Amino acid sequence: MAPIALEPEDHSRDAAFAKVLHGKSAGGRGGFMSMMGKDPVAQKAAVDEYFKHWDNKDAGTETQETREARKAEYATLTRHYYNLATDLYEYGWGASFHFCRFAYGEPFNQAIARHEHYLAHSMGLKDGMKVLDVGCGVGGPAREIAKFAGVNIVGLNNNDYQIERATRYAAKEGMSSQLSFTKGDFMQMSFPANSFDAVYAIEATVHAPSLEGVYSQIFRVLKPGGVFGVYEWLMTDAYDNDNPKQREIRLGIEQGDGISNMVRISEALAAIKAAGFVLEHHEDLADRPDTRPWYYPLAGNFRMIGSFGDIFTVARMTKVGRGAIHQFVGLLETVGIASKGTQKTADSLARAADALVAGGEQKLFTPMYLMVARKPQ
């Protein structure tokens, strides 16, 4: 693996910025209401810092140099993406920021939980294990897996706002003794070697500038014999970067989801082996013959909803629903209730939704490439 330049960490700077930007919204209900409480100057700084990597850099003009520039600032890019997008995620999707498979008639929230349970089951998580969640978001999967498997989980995250929200949710559910959340860059973890019985990552390590780099860090902190399970975002090996239409799909996903460098399945498999793992199982779960595809909520397909409650989730994802949000957020910006840049962020997420659906339909992208691997004894 070629050496990856790591961004210097400055936790004090990040915490101070998050406090100014988010104010008291970390302690609020989350979702749409939290969007209203941002500091406009800090919001503009986050918007400018994030979108400098994407504005006027479309698929037709993208170069290797522009991708390398994103990789060089991977931690800052990801941190500001979630500074901008977390409230929108909670509003539109919930507290578990990931996709899932859907069984016939299965409600959305049940399917999300089953996807988390399946990873825990595939890894063989047991009562009392010490487990690391790499890229834990606001802690939705950690809370669910801790309940399901009886494990103790440490969530690693480089976004202070998400750590505050995750900690608050854990306390609200009486799980503070079972869950903790810590600040850090998963490319340079501060944990001692051989610290954890198991490690998992759910659609998070895609933010790494190098999969081999982050997998090597995971290998280091795992105990000998420990298990690593991951749902990885990957382009399939059918993806052709020389095809302008396919490149536009990949770039749309990356821009709307804070990703510096997404790679193909074959590269991920090579990376996990190069990190030292013994790969026990790997499979693209998106290829399972499910009655409803993983991307159906993003496609706004009402015919596939599994429960009455799912109507509202799917409605927000339709073109009409996204258009309404665009207009409403624009109005809130105009009257000064929402900070400038909220609409731009929502539009970027909408673009990503279209690219994700296109990638799924054309079998060019998967958000659920399952790999279960073990550190040798």
Side-chain angles (χ1 to χ4, degrees), residues 215 228-230 265 268-274 276-283 369-376:
Y215 294 164
F228 170 46
V230 58
I265 290 171
L269 292 172
I272 202 165
K273 293 173 184 176
F277 284 104
V278 176
L279 192 58
E280 295 184 341
H281 178 75
H282 65 97
E283 176 188 4
Y369 198 85
L370 171 64
M371 293 184 283
V372 179
R374 196 167 298 276
K375 182 175 180 176

Side-chain angles (χ1 to χ4, degrees), residues 336-354:
I337 296 175
S339 296
K340 297 290 185 183
T342 306
Q343 185 183 59
K344 186 173 185 177
T345 303
D347 290 348
S348 181
L349 293 178
R351 178 190 174 191
D354 291 336

Side-chain angles (χ1 to χ4, degrees), residues 36 88 178 202 241:
M36 307 301 108
L88 289 163
Q178 199 174 357
I202 299 179
N241 198 57

Side-chain angles (χ1 to χ4, degrees), residues 25-26 28-30 90 138 161-169:
S25 59
R29 293 178 56 191
E90 288 201 66
V138 297
Y161 181 58
Q162 290 194 342
I163 291 170
E164 281 193 67
R165 295 199 65 76
T167 302
R168 175 178 171 272
Y169 289 141

Side-chain angles (χ1 to χ4, degrees), residues 6-150:
L6 302 177
E7 280 196 70
E9 293 189 276
D10 189 336
H11 291 188
S12 297
R13 174 204 62 195
D14 297 344
F17 183 85
K19 184 176 181 179
V20 172
L21 172 59
H22 299 290
K24 297 180 179 179
S25 59
R29 293 178 56 191
F32 203 84
M33 292 306 299
S34 289
M35 297 179 215
M36 307 301 108
K38 309 304 178 185
D39 178 83
V41 176
Q43 174 95 352
K44 183 180 185 303
V47 169
D48 291 347
E49 185 65 35
Y50 181 71
F51 283 100
K52 74 179 185 181
H53 292 289
W54 313 104
D55 287 347
N56 304 313
K57 297 173 184 175
D58 60 23
T61 60
E62 184 189 47
T63 65
Q64 187 60 33
E65 287 72 25
T66 60
R67 296 192 79 179
E68 291 299 324
R70 295 198 297 267
K71 288 167 63 176
E73 297 187 8
Y74 68 94
T76 300
L77 183 149
T78 302
R79 185 171 57 255
H80 282 310
Y81 172 74
Y82 283 111
N83 275 332
L84 297 170
T86 293
D87 296 324
L88 289 163
Y89 272 42
E90 288 201 66
Y91 163 72
W93 203 257
S96 290
F97 301 168
H98 63 79
F99 293 106
C100 63
R101 296 169 57 209
F102 293 96
Y104 176 79
E106 186 175 35
F108 177 85
N109 287 333
Q110 182 176 318
I112 288 284
R114 180 168 64 88
H115 199 60
E116 295 159 359
H117 297 171
Y118 188 77
L119 181 61
H121 170 74
S122 298
M123 295 171 63
L125 298 186
K126 305 291 184 185
D127 264 332
M129 276 183 159
K130 183 180 180 182
V131 178
L132 177 65
D133 178 339
V134 176
C136 63
V138 297
R143 294 192 298 277
E144 188 64 37
I145 289 173
K147 295 169 192 173
F148 175 78

Side-chain angles (χ1 to χ4, degrees), residues 95-299:
S96 290
F97 301 168
H98 63 79
F99 293 106
C100 63
R101 296 169 57 209
F102 293 96
Y104 176 79
E106 186 175 35
F108 177 85
N109 287 333
Q110 182 176 318
I112 288 284
R114 180 168 64 88
H115 199 60
E116 295 159 359
H117 297 171
Y118 188 77
L119 181 61
H121 170 74
S122 298
M123 295 171 63
L125 298 186
K126 305 291 184 185
D127 264 332
M129 276 183 159
K130 183 180 180 182
V131 178
L132 177 65
D133 178 339
V134 176
C136 63
V138 297
R143 294 192 298 277
E144 188 64 37
I145 289 173
K147 295 169 192 173
F148 175 78
V151 294
N152 300 300
I153 298 177
V154 176
L156 179 66
N157 196 318
N158 85 335
N159 183 276
D160 297 84
Y161 181 58
Q162 290 194 342
I163 291 170
E164 281 193 67
R165 295 199 65 76
T167 302
R168 175 178 171 272
Y169 289 141
K172 183 179 179 180
E173 295 190 23
M175 301 184 71
S176 297
S177 63
Q178 199 174 357
L179 301 173
S180 63
F181 302 94
T182 189
K183 167 85 170 181
D185 176 358
F186 55 28
M187 292 293 293
Q188 44 188 328
M189 297 185 196
S190 60
F191 306 113
N194 309 323
S195 292
F196 296 95
D197 300 304
V199 179
Y200 69 82
I202 299 179
E203 302 183 22
T205 44
V206 67
H207 294 294
S210 160
L211 287 183
E212 185 180 340
V214 67
Y215 294 164
S216 295
Q217 282 291 296
I218 290 167
F219 185 89
R220 183 184 66 81
V221 302
L222 257 181
K223 295 177 182 178
V227 63
F228 170 46
V230 58
Y231 287 137
E232 194 64 83
W233 276 35
L234 295 166
M235 304 308 292
T236 69
D237 290 330
Y239 171 74
D240 178 7
N241 198 57
D242 293 327
N243 182 311
K245 292 293 186 182
Q246 294 185 18
R247 193 164 63 246
E248 186 175 345
I249 290 171
R250 189 259 303 157
L251 190 64
I253 295 171
E254 288 178 335
Q255 175 182 331
D257 292 288
I259 299 166
S260 65
N261 182 54
M262 191 158 53
V263 301
R264 296 181 182 88
I265 290 171
S266 56
E267 295 171 74
L269 292 172
I272 202 165
K273 293 173 184 176
F277 284 104
V278 176
L279 192 58
E280 295 184 341
H281 178 75
H282 65 97
E283 176 188 4
D284 185 359
L285 296 181
D287 280 343
R288 292 282 186 95
D290 297 322
T291 57
R292 297 183 291 167
W294 60 266
Y295 52 81
Y296 102 81
L298 294 182

